[in-house]
Amino acid sequence: QVQLVESGGGLVQPGGSLRLSCTTSGLLFSIYVMGWYRQAPGKQRELVAAITSGGSTNYADSVKGRFTISRDNAMNTVYLQMDNLKPDDTAVYYCNAEYTGGYWGQGTQVTVSS
């Protein structure tokens, strides 16, 4: 049974930082493209960042220079370091694993507010 479990969300002030983690089980983690998506109230889910099995990364324009995605294949975990957070970053953040099919985590809430 494949499981993706996100953690690390919370409430942070503008300009602050958070690190999200997504720990997986039940899949061969190292071959999957791992991604972080987010969905704000009333908006569609959007890709935030992705990392391939080889370590290549891709970011949404809105987070370039502020967010960093990384992976630890030994720990079956993908991370999203989020710095200089803005109120517009408020959303539920979801972890995604893609190979021939896709899997999703349950999401973790990130709220950026003073």
Side-chain angles (χ1 to χ4, degrees):
Q1 181 181 359
V2 175
Q3 286 189 310
L4 282 66
V5 180
E6 300 101 333
S7 61
L11 173 64
V12 63
Q13 292 186 342
S17 298
L18 285 174
R19 188 175 84 150
L20 306 183
S21 300
C22 172
T23 300
T24 71
S25 59
L27 53 78
L28 186 55
F29 179 82
S30 62
I31 68 172
Y32 278 74
V33 175
M34 299 301 300
W36 285 97
Y37 289 71
R38 67 187 180 187
Q39 188 166 20
K43 294 187 177 181
Q44 290 189 330
R45 190 174 296 189
E46 63 175 357
L47 175 67
V48 175
I51 184 167
T52 68
S53 57
S56 297
T57 58
N58 181 46
Y59 296 92
D61 287 343
S62 60
V63 307
K64 282 181 181 176
R66 301 188 298 121
F67 290 11
T68 304
I69 189 171
S70 61
R71 65 191 296 160
D72 184 337
N73 289 342
M75 297 296 290
N76 297 331
T77 300
V78 62
Y79 304 97
L80 185 67
Q81 177 67 41
M82 306 186 294
D83 298 317
N84 190 21
L85 282 159
K86 303 176 180 181
D88 282 351
D89 296 317
T90 295
V92 178
Y93 283 70
Y94 296 92
C95 178
N96 171 262
E98 288 284 346
Y99 186 57
T100 57
Y103 301 97
W104 292 92
Q106 81 288 351
T108 186
Q109 177 71 46
V110 171
T111 302
V112 184
S113 175
S114 55

